[in-house]
Amino acid sequence: MTKLVDYPNILLDALEHGVMIVDEEFNVVYWNQWLEINTAHSYASMVGKSLLTFYPDIDYRTLQRKIRTTLRLNSPTFYDASLNNRFIPIPRNKITSSVLNTMQLQVTISPYVVEQRMVMIAVYDISDLHELKLKLQQQMKKIAQLNVELQHDKQIIDDNLLIVKTDGDFHIIEVSKAFNAFFGFKENELIGWPLQIIYSDKTPLSEYTHMKKTLQDLERWSGEIEILSKQSKALWMDAVVTPWIDHLGILSSYTAIYHDITDKKRLELLATTDPLTKLYNRYRFDEIFDITLMREHWKTGDSFALVIADIDHFKQINDAYGHQRGDEVLVCIAEVLRHTLREGDTLARWGGEEFIFLLPHVDARRAILVAEKLRVAVEQLNLFVNVQLSFGVSLFVAGDTQETLLNRADTALYKAKENGRNKVELL
Amino acid sequence: MKLIEFSGDHLDVLRELMNIAVGNATASIADLLKAFGTMHIPKITISDITGLKQYIQDTIPSENSHYVTKQLFGGPLGGEFIFVITDESAINLGNHLYDIDAPNDADIYDAVIELTNILSATMISRLTEELNVKVQFFVPSTQIIKGNDLIDLDEAQGYVQVIIISTQMEFQNQNINGHIFILTKDAMIQSLKDLIDQKLEELYA
């Protein structure tokens, strides 16, 4: 006799998820192999018994309502699977992560034999997916927290740091609140303007060009720069400008951070300038000579000139008109010398009626030419008395020190005086 | 892609079928959840995805948080069933179904899923029954959304045309209000039109 094969049950047992058939009173009619293995309750122990016997803690009122809905509508109903599992607890044996001790189940209640008030409850283990979701939620929470902190930090930066952001062509695209408040600008007032608009004309063009060049080479630039407030008040700033490179290595913007050093500059000015003529004093001149120019020229082999100028017969002016008028002469000469010099040249009051000049990037002919220009400019001054200057020029040669250069310039000046004054002599 | 046009007859049939479906849903909720209320006559609109986003924003108030449950249905007529309920209504629903003063999050989620099940099963099943086709329901999922930004235009690509069937349900005793959207798109719209054609032939035969 051929044994009858129970194909539907074989099919249910072959499924990779749990399937039970229960009636409206929760009596188990079928309990598939997956459930047998994962719940440790055998088919024989479950069939004919109520689920209540084995799982007294689940919400049977809800389950009954869902079974009734399924049977009434002849359509599946579902448990929510997004939060904690609300159906039967099934142990989970995952060792490598311990977020869930029991399986997170997706539960579908489908009509089975409606006339006999039976439904099929399919349970799917979605624990891995649920774990991922929980982890993702944790990460999202962390990201949200970080965003809050980031916003807070950004707010502090915006409120307290003087920052200007420009595009690759140095047009302003963003300005911090602190910058606007500090310099008296309204929000968005500077947007779209070239960065140069905020710099005073005291900033030498060469400095600005140097800054642009450094930044275009994608290097950070730092230096001191004077910025004009909306009310045209000039304020000295320590500036750090950084090119912003995107992840593709392409320049996207520049960010400039400014720090007010006006007071420092004021003190510095007092310490480095002559109070009468407002020219650099001897201390500052020495500093420029030693640190900047000597080093640069040793490196490049470029030449430069040191020039000493002395007002001819200044003692007679003082004696004839008094020291106050003598001071006026000093101020006027200082002013004309300052305006006649080339950009990049250095001028200082050396003491008494002496001035000293540093002329970078010159040869002998050029140095004499500059000194001559200065001499003529002073000669043409229209003051209450005629004034003239004598000049001694020395040109840097390898091995020179400040002392040797000064000695030669002094000797040249002496020669100019000897030769009748109002002259330029080179040694 | 050529847009599918619905004639007045098509829309009349669809409107009539949806009226029947809505009546069915109200009766089922009264029977199964012991909640007695009304559902508005469904509005039927054909739109593109941007229009859908706007339609939803015009319908759902922006100031509340909402439980939004989405359930797909597939077959000769496939689409997405969306049930939107304010958080206040969702808590009231949890109260009503679980008979407790302060339902927890899981109670509320499950209550919302349960109501969605009944609404989708009755409305869609009734519609498809009238059109002589069968549909398969997929597992619904619920999420809480602040405001009314239910459609992400970046994600909802590939929609050319969408039919929006929308209605509102009110259960005054339980203070529960919700909005229902049944959406179907492109090829499914053609399928719906063909099914309505068959229904029209049936009616005029």
Side-chain angles (χ1 to χ4, degrees):
Chain A
M1 193 175 138
T2 315
K3 193 183 168 190
L4 279 174
V5 179
D6 190 356
Y7 285 112
N9 287 353
I10 291 171
L11 180 67
L12 290 176
D13 283 341
L15 291 174
E16 289 295 319
H17 61 265
V19 174
M20 67 180 84
I21 295 164
V22 296
D23 65 17
E24 220 170 352
E25 305 304 319
F26 319 118
N27 293 313
V28 178
V29 179
Y30 192 80
W31 191 257
N32 85 338
Q33 198 167 285
W34 188 94
L35 285 172
E36 273 195 314
I37 293 165
N38 285 289
T39 63
H41 296 309
S42 68
Y43 172 88
S45 67
M46 293 299 296
V47 170
K49 308 264 174 43
S50 169
L51 266 185
L52 267 162
T53 314
F54 300 90
Y55 301 102
D57 295 331
I58 63 172
D59 181 350
Y60 283 96
R61 193 178 153 197
T62 301
L63 179 59
Q64 190 166 48
R65 201 170 53 229
K66 285 180 188 289
I67 292 173
R68 278 192 59 211
T69 303
T70 305
L71 293 170
R72 162 81 165 71
L73 303 179
N74 201 11
S75 180
T77 56
F78 307 88
Y79 270 87
D80 172 62
S82 61
L83 296 175
N84 296 338
N85 176 41
R86 292 162 73 82
F87 197 53
I88 60 170
I90 301 178
R92 186 164 184 254
N93 300 317
K94 194 164 186 182
I95 310 295
T96 50
S97 67
S98 55
V99 179
L100 299 171
N101 291 324
T102 57
M103 288 183 193
Q104 181 70 15
L105 298 177
Q106 180 189 298
V107 182
T108 304
I109 306 172
S110 307
Y112 186 60
V113 182
V114 179
E115 301 75 34
Q116 293 175 27
R117 315 298 289 165
M118 285 194 282
V119 293
M120 184 176 84
I121 304 178
V123 295
Y124 302 86
D125 178 17
I126 54 163
S127 307
D128 283 345
L129 197 66
H130 193 67
E131 263 182 353
L132 277 177
K133 188 180 150 186
L134 293 177
K135 278 180 191 164
L136 191 66
Q137 280 172 347
Q138 277 175 352
Q139 295 299 323
M140 294 298 284
K141 211 171 167 182
K142 275 185 194 167
I143 290 170
Q145 273 172 345
L146 285 173
N147 267 334
V148 169
E149 284 170 26
L150 201 66
Q151 282 304 318
H152 183 243
D153 290 350
K154 206 178 158 193
Q155 191 67 45
I156 290 173
I157 290 170
D158 198 37
D159 288 347
N160 295 288
L161 294 187
L162 311 178
I163 301 174
V164 173
K165 199 170 165 185
T166 75
D167 62 13
D169 295 324
F170 297 99
H171 283 92
I172 298 170
I173 54 173
E174 215 176 297
V175 181
S176 72
K177 270 188 194 164
F179 187 95
N180 279 329
F182 191 82
F183 289 100
F185 293 106
K186 286 182 194 155
E187 194 184 351
N188 298 331
E189 195 174 351
L190 291 170
I191 306 297
W193 288 94
L195 181 64
Q196 212 166 345
I197 197 172
I198 62 172
Y199 295 147
S200 86
D201 52 11
K202 275 194 196 164
T203 306
L205 194 64
S206 58
E207 189 69 2
Y208 193 71
T209 311
H210 177 244
M211 179 182 84
K212 270 190 161 178
K213 168 88 175 59
T214 307
L215 291 168
Q216 278 160 352
D217 290 344
L218 304 183
E219 284 172 23
R220 198 178 73 148
W221 178 87
S222 61
E224 292 174 354
I225 210 150
E226 198 177 44
I227 293 183
L228 286 178
S229 74
K230 194 173 178 188
Q231 292 73 32
S232 299
K233 187 181 170 193
L235 295 156
W236 274 99
M237 296 284 141
D238 189 13
V240 178
V241 190
T242 314
W244 186 260
I245 317 289
D246 67 16
H247 66 286
L248 298 171
I250 297 166
L251 171 85
S252 64
S253 60
Y254 299 105
T255 303
I257 304 175
Y258 301 103
H259 173 63
D260 181 21
I261 52 162
T262 309
D263 287 343
K264 185 189 140 206
K265 285 296 275 191
R266 215 169 275 149
L267 286 173
E268 199 179 275
L269 205 67
L270 284 174
T272 58
T273 53
D274 168 51
L276 179 67
T277 60
K278 309 294 179 209
L279 297 179
Y280 284 144
N281 60 18
R282 196 171 184 148
Y283 164 77
R284 179 64 180 148
F285 184 84
D286 284 348
E287 202 175 59
I288 294 173
F289 191 95
D290 288 344
I291 298 168
T292 316
L293 290 174
M294 278 297 262
R295 190 162 57 197
E296 283 302 307
H297 287 272
W298 274 114
K299 267 186 198 169
T300 60
D302 206 354
S303 194
F304 67 95
L306 186 76
V307 180
I308 299 180
D310 184 86
I311 305 174
D312 295 336
H313 303 300
F314 186 66
K315 190 174 177 303
Q316 287 170 18
I317 297 172
N318 268 340
D319 291 345
Y321 300 98
H323 285 280
Q324 205 172 343
R325 306 291 327 250
D327 285 351
E328 279 175 32
V329 170
L330 279 169
V331 171
C332 289
I333 291 176
E335 193 61 22
V336 81
L337 292 176
R338 187 181 7 236
H339 283 105
T340 311
L341 275 178
R342 308 168 308 165
E343 192 188 313
D345 292 341
T346 302
L347 163 64
R349 187 177 175 198
W350 196 236
E353 66 268 32
E354 278 188 332
F355 300 95
I356 191 161
F357 308 79
L358 204 62
L359 312 178
H361 316 299
V362 289
D363 53 15
R365 192 185 66 83
R366 183 80 188 151
I368 290 169
L369 209 68
V370 173
E372 268 299 326
K373 200 175 156 194
L374 293 166
R375 188 191 66 75
V376 171
V378 172
E379 193 179 38
Q380 289 176 347
L381 262 175
N382 186 19
L383 296 179
F384 62 89
V385 63
N386 285 332
V387 285
Q388 295 168 342
L389 287 184
S390 296
F391 290 80
V393 181
S394 62
L395 200 68
F396 173 84
V397 289
D400 258 338
T401 61
Q402 187 179 4
E403 199 184 344
T404 59
L405 266 173
L406 269 171
N407 283 339
R408 287 212 305 280
D410 253 341
T411 310
L413 176 64
Y414 181 75
K415 203 174 150 192
K417 295 271 187 193
E418 284 285 296
N419 289 343
R421 295 186 169 85
N422 194 22
K423 290 199 168 10
V424 175
E425 291 292 343
L426 169 80
L427 200 65
Chain B
M1 188 177 171
K2 198 184 164 203
L3 295 182
I4 301 156
E5 288 183 10
F6 271 51
S7 66
D9 279 352
H10 287 110
L11 289 172
D12 281 346
V13 170
L14 188 57
R15 223 171 266 129
E16 190 51 41
L17 294 178
M18 285 315 302
N19 282 344
I20 297 168
V22 160
N24 215 21
T26 317
S28 295
I29 292 169
D31 175 29
L32 293 163
L33 302 184
K34 308 296 177 218
F36 301 92
T38 54
M39 287 178 80
H40 292 201
I41 294 169
K43 283 184 202 160
I44 297 168
T45 314
I46 301 178
S47 165
D48 58 13
I49 189 70
T50 316
L52 169 64
K53 189 179 171 77
Q54 191 58 50
Y55 185 91
I56 289 177
Q57 285 182 346
D58 291 344
T59 312
I60 307 289
S62 61
E63 59 271 19
N64 297 100
S65 281
H66 295 96
Y67 283 74
V68 179
T69 307
K70 296 179 180 177
Q71 186 174 24
L72 301 184
F73 54 95
L77 178 62
E80 192 173 353
F81 184 93
I82 304 177
F83 180 53
V84 185
I85 185 170
T86 62
D87 49 359
E88 191 190 345
S89 283
I91 293 167
N92 293 338
L93 180 66
N95 264 325
H96 176 67
L97 290 192
Y98 289 90
D99 201 17
I100 43 177
D101 287 340
N104 61 32
D105 286 351
D107 292 337
I108 297 169
Y109 268 79
D110 215 48
V112 173
I113 291 268
E114 222 170 306
L115 182 53
T116 309
N117 268 334
I118 296 170
L119 289 167
S120 63
T122 47
M123 292 175 75
I124 304 291
S125 297
R126 192 58 209 256
L127 173 68
T128 51
E129 191 185 311
E130 290 290 336
L131 295 172
N132 300 316
V133 288
K134 285 188 175 168
V135 287
Q136 171 75 46
F137 287 99
F138 293 87
V139 183
S141 66
T142 300
Q143 62 181 133
I144 299 174
I145 291 178
K146 281 182 184 164
N148 56 9
D149 202 5
L150 271 57
I151 307 283
D152 187 337
L153 285 181
D154 291 337
E155 288 175 14
Q157 295 298 317
Y159 279 63
V160 173
Q161 203 175 4
V162 57
I163 287 190
I164 310 162
I165 301 171
S166 74
T167 183
Q168 192 179 347
M169 50 159 278
E170 289 169 352
F171 293 88
Q172 283 175 350
N173 287 346
Q174 289 77 24
N175 199 14
I176 299 166
N177 296 295
H179 287 274
I180 296 158
F181 300 93
I182 301 170
L183 312 175
T184 189
K185 63 173 180 176
D186 297 344
M188 285 299 165
I189 295 176
Q190 184 60 52
S191 181
L192 177 63
K193 192 182 174 192
D194 294 343
L195 290 168
I196 293 173
D197 278 336
Q198 285 171 25
K199 186 75 184 173
L200 280 167
E201 274 175 33
E202 229 176 74
L203 289 171
Y204 294 120

